[in-house]
Amino acid sequence: MNLKTMFGIGLVSVGAAFAQEASESTAPSMSEQQLQQQEEQAAASESLTAPVPFVAPEIPKDSKRTPFNAILHGKSYNRNSNMAAANNTDLLLKYPNLFANRKFFYIEPTNKLGIVSLGSFFTAFDISKATHDDSQLGRLTLGYAVPGFGFYVRAGLGRDRVSNDAGVVSTTYGGDDWAAAIAKSFLGMNVAADVDWLTTKKQTHNDPDHGTETEDRFDSLTVNLSLTNAPTAKNFTWTLGARFVSFNNETEIDGDVEKANDPASFWDLSPYIRAGLSVLENENARILIGGAAIVSYKNYDDPVDQYAITAVLQPSMLGEVFVGEEKNFMFYGEVGYDWVAFQYLKNNDSDMSRMMDVMNSVNASLGFRYQYKDFLAVELGLGEKLFTGLGNYFQADGTFIDFSAMIRF
């Protein structure tokens, strides 16, 4: 039994245990405003399953519970991760406890994504893409959430194993993916952890009965930890976190690295801080500013003897406006900037060092949202793709068009 199979069995076992412990009756459908209030109370409570009474809140002007933040958006909104902005579907999958008591169906054809949330149990279907070839596999996500706690497990499987008199040949297709996430509220904050194991391109393992054993290692392990004050934040929202990546891109013969591919294998540790602040706001429009600071230490594996230290700054701005008396129409736009403020690279093989800073990447996007009453919404976004390279902080990749629809119950 290989490591990925053991890892998958462990994820399913942990998920089943959590579901049995946290199981409770499904709550009635609630408005987005009520959900915001409930999340704040659950975050400040030590009990995850205690009933949370709803009291109509008096919304101060500087509170995160503004009409703007009562909306759940799709992927086209807040692509620069401004922490003061409203929730989108990506944030719910990062903090699965936010699914609690949300009942909706979400479809996004352009990104091949679908989500169904039943108030406690939720599921998602999407595509896992290999990063170094064109292969892709479908992924299934299964999760459970109650106020203050949530988790999910995810898998996208692509495997083939042939056994005969000559030996065993195992193939794992690019996009094979195993993942899990867990989030918990405490003392007015949310803490979350997620892990993802992705095969970055098609790999084979040839283990003959006689002869040389050959194994490709084309995979990555990513672990994220984060802490945010978002559930009870007023006008200033922050997130502290760290990301660890172990990236393998090599071929081994009888256990020894025969060839290091490009890019070479490495491990990377990146602590970061993100923040957001509302600087101008009234009942129909607001402007948010945000930013992130990331520090990375990347160490390349044998036979490459090299390391890099990088500091990245990412300021951003987001504006959104309601149109019409019923506030059924909304326009939103954002712009972000990526600055490699400092990078020091040292190659001990060639006795070479390099220092640099680069200010060359600005991205912008524009979106539109229409909501019919309180149960149907559609969104359309146009902009530039970012963060498409594994291990990279940013990489422009042309333009994107996002279209999504959501039905709430």
Side-chain angles (χ1 to χ4, degrees):
M1 183 178 295
N2 59 33
L3 290 176
K4 264 197 177 180
T5 303
M6 295 173 64
F7 177 66
I9 294 173
L11 291 183
V12 174
S13 300
V14 171
F18 274 124
Q20 183 175 358
E21 179 180 352
S23 178
E24 64 174 19
S25 59
T26 302
S29 179
M30 304 175 71
S31 69
E32 293 290 344
Q33 192 84 33
Q34 291 171 304
L35 285 166
Q36 286 282 346
Q37 174 75 357
Q38 177 181 268
E39 288 164 9
E40 294 180 10
Q41 293 178 343
S45 173
E46 290 298 325
S47 174
L48 299 180
T49 59
V52 181
F54 173 71
V55 178
E58 181 180 345
I59 304 175
K61 186 176 181 179
D62 64 347
S63 173
K64 187 175 174 61
R65 290 181 286 110
T66 68
F68 293 98
N69 285 82
I71 296 173
L72 176 61
H73 290 272
K75 281 179 175 287
S76 66
Y77 175 85
N78 194 23
R79 298 182 69 90
N80 290 287
S81 299
N82 188 310
M83 298 311 302
N87 293 341
N88 64 8
T89 50
D90 278 347
L91 192 69
L92 263 62
L93 290 171
K94 187 174 183 62
Y95 294 94
N97 59 320
L98 299 180
F99 275 98
N101 289 338
R102 294 183 187 269
K103 297 181 180 181
F104 66 87
F105 169 70
Y106 176 82
I107 183 73
E108 191 172 347
T110 52
N111 286 299
K112 301 178 182 178
L113 170 65
I115 301 174
V116 172
S117 178
L118 304 179
S120 55
F121 291 98
F122 61 91
T123 185
F125 309 128
D126 69 329
I127 287 292
S128 173
K129 297 180 180 180
T131 54
H132 295 287
D133 61 36
D134 295 330
S135 60
Q136 56 185 23
L137 295 170
R139 298 190 298 188
L140 170 63
T141 300
L142 297 173
Y144 183 80
V146 293
F149 174 78
F151 76 95
Y152 70 75
V153 293
R154 184 179 70 218
L157 307 181
R159 296 158 170 243
D160 188 15
R161 177 184 172 91
V162 178
S163 178
N164 54 34
D165 294 339
V168 178
V169 178
S170 300
T171 301
T172 304
Y173 297 99
D176 184 270
D177 188 30
W178 298 77
I182 187 170
K184 182 181 184 299
S185 298
F186 76 104
L187 301 178
M189 296 180 288
N190 267 346
V191 60
D194 61 85
V195 58
D196 184 80
W197 191 352
L198 173 70
T199 301
T200 58
K201 58 184 175 181
K202 183 177 179 179
Q203 62 183 17
T204 60
H205 182 192
N206 187 355
D207 188 8
D209 292 338
H210 303 283
T212 302
E213 180 183 357
T214 304
E215 180 179 9
D216 294 326
R217 297 188 64 199
F218 305 142
D219 53 48
S220 68
L221 173 67
T222 303
V223 180
N224 280 291
L225 298 173
S226 64
L227 175 70
T228 179
N229 73 331
T232 55
K234 297 301 181 181
N235 196 36
F236 180 72
T237 311
W238 52 261
T239 296
L240 295 174
R243 183 192 70 171
F244 173 80
V245 176
S246 176
F247 174 72
N248 297 303
N249 190 26
E250 60 196 24
T251 299
E252 295 182 356
I253 297 180
D254 286 339
D256 296 325
V257 178
E258 177 70 14
K259 180 177 65 174
N261 298 297
D262 186 24
S265 301
F266 65 84
W267 62 266
D268 178 290
L269 180 62
S270 303
Y272 61 86
I273 180 171
R274 297 187 180 276
L277 175 70
S278 175
V279 292
L280 293 172
E281 182 174 347
N282 59 32
E283 63 180 6
N284 293 314
R286 72 171 178 175
I287 296 176
L288 309 176
I289 61 171
I294 307 167
V295 178
S296 162
Y297 176 79
K298 180 183 291 186
N299 188 85
Y300 292 86
D301 297 341
D302 292 335
V304 178
D305 189 4
Q306 179 176 297
Y307 69 89
I309 301 173
T310 308
V312 179
L313 301 178
Q314 296 175 327
S316 64
M317 296 178 289
L318 186 152
E320 47 193 334
V321 57
F322 286 116
V323 178
E325 294 183 359
E326 300 297 325
K327 297 185 178 181
N328 289 336
F329 292 90
M330 169 185 276
F331 289 95
Y332 48 88
E334 54 187 303
V335 60
Y337 189 81
D338 296 276
W339 174 20
V340 180
F342 169 82
Q343 184 177 76
Y344 175 76
L345 186 147
K346 176 66 174 179
N347 189 324
N348 294 317
D349 291 330
S350 60
D351 195 24
M352 181 271 292
S353 63
R354 176 184 180 184
M355 294 186 66
M356 63 176 293
D357 62 272
V358 180
M359 304 174 67
N360 66 347
S361 178
V362 174
N363 68 88
S365 63
L366 184 66
F368 164 80
R369 174 187 174 90
Y370 171 73
Q371 180 168 318
Y372 179 72
K373 297 184 178 179
D374 194 34
F375 71 91
L376 174 64
V378 293
E379 290 186 351
L380 177 67
L382 173 66
E384 179 187 13
K385 287 185 178 180
L386 291 178
F387 310 106
T388 59
L390 178 69
N392 295 333
Y393 293 105
F394 59 88
Q395 177 181 328
D397 190 23
T399 59
F400 72 83
I401 297 178
D402 282 337
F403 175 75
S404 63
M406 180 182 297
I407 301 174
R408 295 187 64 253
F409 296 90

